[in-house]
Amino acid sequence: MRLLNYNLFGESHGKAIGVVIRGVPPGIEVREGELTAELERRKGIRRFATKRKEEDRPVILSGVFRGHTTGTPIAVVVENRDVESSYYEEIKDTPRPGHGDYPARIKYFGYNDYRGGGHLSGRLTVGIVVAGYFAKKILERFGIEVRAYIKRIGPVEARELSVEEVFSSENPYCPDEEAFGEMREVMEDARKSGDSVGGIVEAVARNVPAGLGGPYEEDIEADLASAFFRIPAVKGVEFGLGFRFGELRGSEANDPFIIRNGKVVTETNNHGGFLGGMTTGMPIVARVVIKPTPSIYLPQRTVNIGEMREEWIRLRGRFDSCIVPKALPVVEGAMAIVLADHLLRRMAWVGFENAR
Amino acid sequence: MRLLNYNLFGESHGKAIGVVIRGVPPGIEVREGELTAELERRKGIRRFATKRKEEDRPVILSGVFRGHTTGTPIAVVVENRDVESSYYEEIKDTPRPGHGDYPARIKYFGYNDYRGGGHLSGRLTVGIVVAGYFAKKILERFGIEVRAYIKRIGPVEARELSVEEVFSSENPYCPDEEAFGEMREVMEDARKSGDSVGGIVEAVARNVPAGLGGPYEEDIEADLASAFFRIPAVKGVEFGLGFRFGELRGSEANDPFIIRNGKVVTETNNHGGFLGGMTTGMPIVARVVIKPTPSIYLPQRTVNIGEMREEWIRLRGRFDSCIVPKALPVVEGAMAIVLADHLLRRMAWVGFENAR
Amino acid sequence: MRLLNYNLFGESHGKAIGVVIRGVPPGIEVREGELTAELERRKGIRRFATKRKEEDRPVILSGVFRGHTTGTPIAVVVENRDVESSYYEEIKDTPRPGHGDYPARIKYFGYNDYRGGGHLSGRLTVGIVVAGYFAKKILERFGIEVRAYIKRIGPVEARELSVEEVFSSENPYCPDEEAFGEMREVMEDARKSGDSVGGIVEAVARNVPAGLGGPYEEDIEADLASAFFRIPAVKGVEFGLGFRFGELRGSEANDPFIIRNGKVVTETNNHGGFLGGMTTGMPIVARVVIKPTPSIYLPQRTVNIGEMREEWIRLRGRFDSCIVPKALPVVEGAMAIVLADHLLRRMAWVGFENAR
Amino acid sequence: MRLLNYNLFGESHGKAIGVVIRGVPPGIEVREGELTAELERRKGIRRFATKRKEEDRPVILSGVFRGHTTGTPIAVVVENRDVESSYYEEIKDTPRPGHGDYPARIKYFGYNDYRGGGHLSGRLTVGIVVAGYFAKKILERFGIEVRAYIKRIGPVEARELSVEEVFSSENPYCPDEEAFGEMREVMEDARKSGDSVGGIVEAVARNVPAGLGGPYEEDIEADLASAFFRIPAVKGVEFGLGFRFGELRGSEANDPFIIRNGKVVTETNNHGGFLGGMTTGMPIVARVVIKPTPSIYLPQRTVNIGEMREEWIRLRGRFDSCIVPKALPVVEGAMAIVLADHLLRRMAWVGFENAR
């Protein structure tokens, strides 16, 4: 049913990773500088990110002609360089705790490329950012904007922020500068102790028209959740008040409808932009929890599967101490893709209705 | 890519609601009594549920022959009776706060059946329970079990429960009898004050083999989240520690691999059964928040869309004061469908591997 | 990628057969009389069709409200009556030549409902006609028309007919009255000798805009072929000159572009409306071969699978001597569904392009 | 529902073309030499094929590790070299008769890469051959073989050939050596006169188990037809007797079931391997008509769309005089992909059935 699709391919230590995006309409202006800038964001905050000198130079193989999308599949490839795989040979029989090594070995009957996590690597999210770039361009034509920021790092949570504050902030990570200062300290602490730390990303979209999505099968909230959960390390997704709804009464939870500037809106936005699986025209507010990246320098217990005995491992390599900053453009990309897809679908019906 | 699918149809006050399930393998014994019993569970706790005398008599139209599934599409229909629609004519221009009335009106250009929520009605979840019944039968052949219980109602949360406690409990709603007593009081309070109350459902699955799902596109965690979010009123989904991961360090979050009874398992189950989008063989633990049902007897503010003016409405009719108990078989059904689908897919590869 | 879908369910001798159609836009006026009339056509020419007093009374269970489509799934059910199954018990171990009995037994591990062909029955095409009814309504809004007629019965072929002749003919079976007279004789001969006879249906569509479909994955010719082949007894599909292209040179096959009434058209229509997997704006011309219905009264050789020995069977029951007349609304329905789906998809891009 | 998928990308004169194949199971040995050999076949008979020195060096970017498939998406890219595009600037406003230039211009609102046909180019079929290579490897494990040969070139048709003759022939194009000699002459004539010529490919598969596919939605015949029609220039597909069924009576068409070597088979194979949308265990016989390639050196009439006037064009460049030989590995690939997909799906049910 989707009109906009993407498929990722590649392994962390293979020749290249990439993405094929299908369904992007023709005539969208593409600027490679913008695309590179988006990918640059995915590297996160240098201090807390892996030192891999990923150049992440995206090469557009197809679907763009003379600076515009053509309407045909867009393939974008990023070569893997600066790859050092020998260490992964050492640990291939000892699955890293918190990583997908163990189930992958079973799923792929031992044939998977285990180096750097192979196809499970977070590096594949480059493709989501690339697809998100095109999706944002689709949304842009309708004035729809998407923005993600860090809501929490470990114990530090940003204060409640208005949608306007989120979109007008110049801090690329968190509009609450004070909280962000503390978040940096938490990340620094984790880094110093050879550990990592988790966090929460909040993603907001504005100017989304009412009526996207639908009940059950067409539920756009479900499609967004699905897209978010496909990002590695995501372990929870909520919209609006989210899990706090479980503590509330209906009289506290329901958002009254009112008229503002001649438009039907809700006075509050507990629902986070969705009712009945559909957008209401109110801002979309989603929260996504990112578990602490499992690669840490501390000794951990695991099992040597070849020899079936328990042992300790101590990982070596270049690890992020916090992947939450990196996740921002990925979360935005995932959101933009779903919104753009539903927007395109919506236009089919609007076109039909207008043809009366 | 799915091998097991279902599609819901119907409106709350139309002729019937139903479901078509495709991909159920042949030869599964079907007992109508069992199916009716599952649907009976969906009525929740009589005291806190609508008084609609839904008989919910499922009629199997196809796909079952001489007491066994045939392998062809299974259509199950439930007639709508005891329906009183006149009230909905009164309020059709005043969208009920917290319901999907308003975005539905826009999406469907005013052509939708607004009576009782139409196709958005929670009544459609009957179809999920029916599909879930067949999915559980598929899982049963592999010893896989699924069970959902109430984790929270308003301020009351059940204590931490072991997987064994969950499966061995005879209380159909919550294994923590003490907490359940308090939950009943909270629901009773809500009922008495003409209000409603939200809650959290925890769903657990055991004996799920490792290696179902996969990274990114094949992510089974994402497929489960997607299925859960398609249930009306769900506003958040998390697995394992879920949102608490945002507060933790990697050294606290990672589950060590150990050997128990000659099998690789994790010592703790923070990951809730999934790593890298795949099952690990550990029990699956998912939590789903259900917002308080928006239909309440208290006066609420809304907008008369026909006349574009704000007004107060006071809903009449038969409302649940808490839909969380009703949600249990629906959440189980949604989970069972996704697990059974991935299990069937998995068997394709296993069959291929074994054909060497 | 499809925006318009249908799923069939039911068995020939089960409780009911039916269809669920998803993606029909809201606001289409539905007249049950029209729908019944379409289904009436599917009964073919009484003399050459089964005597089963199929009333085929379609009951719309959902998706239509106050005479208009709502935009939600449309479920339509037809009860099975006048069913006599005892004979099928006798022959359940002796697969009927030319029928799917044998592979069905293997596919479904013996659990399928074999009575009257079960889910394989041509009776299921009622659902295609129903879905086709809604699809034609979508096309109607854009002035697109679809019409199928009998091109051949056994040795008799209708003469070359212009698109105008096809659409203006009042003969519901074949615009070439003379040929149709001979076709009747061929069908009568087959009937008298207890045999059946095959034929070819030609389906034509006009006023289809250029630019529907696309290369490879989006190929509308392929989607049409796929839809046609899903109709039982179809063993070949061709467009435009079809198999005659194999005998030609490029200079004979290519259609020159010319300008007529200020529009780009082709002078000839060898291509049958498609170039590069896309519509050209020229009339669509498709031909579909229908094999003679395998149920005949003559003795035939088969195998008793239970006892694994060869034997002769002589079928009893009510058989069509020619199903080609019956196939006309089914072929039209299949074509209309694919065209309407691609038209809806097209509107998404047109809406996006117009939003500049 | 598919377990095996492929997506093509690229434009004829862009950076590269390629394919991403998803669902190939792990552990299949991959030999680059074999893959190159398959692609070599796609170049056809040098004398009648374009002189483009397509090296077609496939680069496997992902999904293969240490000589075996990993189970993750396989991306294969072929760079475009030896490309001369300037001529296409000259003719970009004059759509070539028989090509998709005109509808593509409309579909893509003028943004498509028109050079060398862009994404419509037959060059993209490299991706089908690559996907077919992996599909054949899946089939190989079950002893299933696929082979396509030239059945007709212009007026010359190969004689009726047994399945054994087809598979044992050493002629890579046509087992009927005599007919093949005449076919070469027809191609030579077309070449000399600056024209092109069409033909028919017959594709045969043996050792396919009974019970793949299913009625209606699961129809494997329809899936094959769909795959064949996605190959450019295909205008017709038939199975078994195909269009000749239209001339026959049931008593002539039905294949009697008999027992041979303790197995149920049919005495004749008019049905071409399919009954009721399912495989019967008999050899699959499909015929695909390939229209004469529309690029010819003779003057042709077309329309200058920019200036909206009729004119004559005379194409320059390197054209195939006959693409039928080139089509053989493409048709085989398309067939292998569909068979392998259905085989994998089948194994899910077999695995379930065996788990009793």
Side-chain angles (χ1 to χ4, degrees), chain A residues 197-215:
Chain A
V197 63
I200 293 175
V201 171
E202 184 161 292
V204 184
R206 67 176 170 186
N207 297 327
V208 182
L212 303 191

Side-chain angles (χ1 to χ4, degrees), chain A residues 66-263:
Chain A
R66 303 204 169 146
H68 291 81
T69 59
T70 59
T72 58
I74 299 169
V76 179
V77 166
V78 181
E79 264 187 65
N80 291 325
R81 299 174 192 174
D82 185 27
V83 162
E84 169 47 46
S85 304
S86 59
Y87 174 57
Y88 289 98
E89 298 304 323
E90 283 178 41
I91 60 164
K92 80 186 175 75
D93 283 342
T94 47
R96 294 165 297 164
H99 276 287
D101 299 349
Y102 171 67
R105 186 181 177 121
I106 289 174
K107 176 182 171 73
Y108 300 113
F109 308 113
Y111 287 104
N112 56 308
D113 181 353
Y114 42 79
R115 301 166 306 165
H119 185 60
L120 283 69
S121 166
R123 184 160 162 70
L124 273 279
T125 59
V126 161
I128 300 177
V129 175
V130 171
Y133 169 75
F134 291 97
K136 285 175 179 178
K137 287 283 178 178
I138 295 172
L139 298 177
E140 200 180 285
R141 193 169 291 182
F142 295 84
I144 302 169
E145 290 173 291
V146 169
R147 178 105 181 236
Y149 70 95
I150 305 175
K151 178 73 182 169
R152 168 188 287 276
I153 297 289
V156 183
E157 190 171 271
R159 64 176 169 80
E160 209 66 27
L161 292 157
S162 71
V163 170
E164 286 64 33
E165 282 176 294
V166 171
F167 280 99
S168 62
S169 167
E170 284 177 18
N171 184 311
Y173 301 109
C174 179
D176 178 348
E177 296 279 2
E178 200 181 313
F180 184 60
E182 295 171 46
M183 289 171 182
R184 285 191 77 104
E185 282 172 39
V186 172
M187 293 188 279
E188 181 65 23
D189 274 5
R191 193 187 69 80
K192 279 187 188 148
S193 48
D195 210 338
S196 65
V197 63
I200 293 175
V201 171
E202 184 161 292
V204 184
R206 67 176 170 186
N207 297 327
V208 182
L212 303 191
Y216 298 103
E217 187 167 347
E218 298 183 69
D219 192 317
I220 187 171
E221 228 172 348
D223 288 347
L224 279 167
S226 171
F228 291 145
F229 269 108
R230 278 166 221 285
I231 302 170
V234 168
K235 296 297 281 187
V237 170
E238 59 178 16
F239 298 96
L241 292 189
F243 274 89
R244 279 169 53 205
F245 274 117
E247 302 164 31
L248 298 183
R249 295 210 165 187
S251 57
E252 301 166 304
N254 287 349
D255 297 302
F257 286 105
I258 57 170
I259 297 175
R260 279 297 172 275
N261 307 319
K263 279 185 56 184

Side-chain angles (χ1 to χ4, degrees), chain C residues 67-340:
Chain C
H68 291 81
T69 58
T70 59
T72 58
I74 299 169
V76 179
V77 166
V78 181
E79 264 187 66
N80 291 325
R81 299 176 192 172
D82 185 28
V83 163
E84 169 46 44
S85 304
S86 59
Y87 174 56
Y88 289 97
E89 299 303 326
E90 284 178 42
I91 59 165
K92 81 186 174 76
D93 283 343
T94 47
R96 296 166 296 165
H99 275 287
D101 299 350
Y102 171 67
R105 185 180 178 122
I106 290 174
K107 176 181 172 73
Y108 299 112
F109 307 114
Y111 287 104
N112 56 308
D113 181 352
Y114 43 78
R115 300 167 307 165
H119 185 60
L120 283 70
S121 166
R123 184 160 163 68
L124 274 278
T125 59
V126 162
I128 301 177
V129 175
V130 171
Y133 168 75
F134 290 96
K136 284 176 180 178
K137 288 282 179 180
I138 295 172
L139 298 177
E140 201 179 285
R141 193 168 289 181
F142 295 85
I144 301 169
E145 291 173 291
V146 168
R147 178 107 180 233
Y149 70 94
I150 305 175
K151 179 72 182 170
R152 168 188 287 274
I153 296 288
V156 183
E157 190 171 271
R159 66 175 167 81
E160 208 66 27
L161 292 157
S162 73
V163 170
E164 286 66 32
E165 281 176 296
V166 170
F167 280 99
S168 62
S169 167
E170 286 178 15
N171 185 310
Y173 301 109
C174 179
D176 177 348
E177 297 280 2
E178 201 182 314
F180 184 59
E182 293 171 48
M183 289 171 181
R184 286 192 77 105
E185 281 172 39
V186 171
M187 294 188 278
E188 181 65 24
D189 274 5
R191 193 187 70 78
K192 279 190 188 147
S193 47
D195 210 338
S196 65
V197 62
I200 294 174
V201 170
E202 183 161 294
V204 184
R206 66 175 171 186
N207 296 326
V208 182
L212 304 190
Y216 298 102
E217 186 167 348
E218 298 185 69
D219 192 317
I220 187 171
E221 228 172 347
D223 287 347
L224 279 166
S226 171
F228 290 144
F229 269 109
R230 278 167 221 284
I231 302 170
V234 168
K235 295 297 282 188
V237 169
E238 59 178 14
F239 297 96
L241 292 187
F243 275 89
R244 280 169 53 205
F245 274 117
E247 303 164 32
L248 297 184
R249 295 210 165 188
S251 55
E252 299 165 306
N254 287 350
D255 298 302
F257 286 105
I258 57 170
I259 298 175
R260 280 294 173 275
N261 307 318
K263 279 185 55 185
V264 176
V265 296
T266 57
E267 192 169 35
T268 46
N269 189 17
N270 296 340
H271 69 287
F274 303 103
L275 289 173
M278 288 166 279
T279 54
T280 62
M282 292 296 289
I284 292 174
V285 182
R287 266 177 311 282
V288 169
V289 64
I290 313 277
K291 75 174 182 180
T293 179
S295 286
I296 56 176
Y297 294 100
L298 304 172
Q300 298 182 88
R301 295 169 60 197
T302 186
V303 163
N304 184 307
I305 291 183
E307 307 173 11
M308 275 304 274
R309 57 174 172 74
E310 301 185 356
E311 54 178 58
W312 286 82
I313 49 164
R314 196 159 182 158
L315 300 176
R316 298 194 318 264
R318 300 164 302 190
F319 307 135
D320 298 85
S321 50
C322 187
I323 53 171
V324 182
K326 276 186 167 184
L328 298 179
V330 182
V331 169
E332 285 179 10
M335 186 182 241
I337 294 160
V338 172
L339 292 178

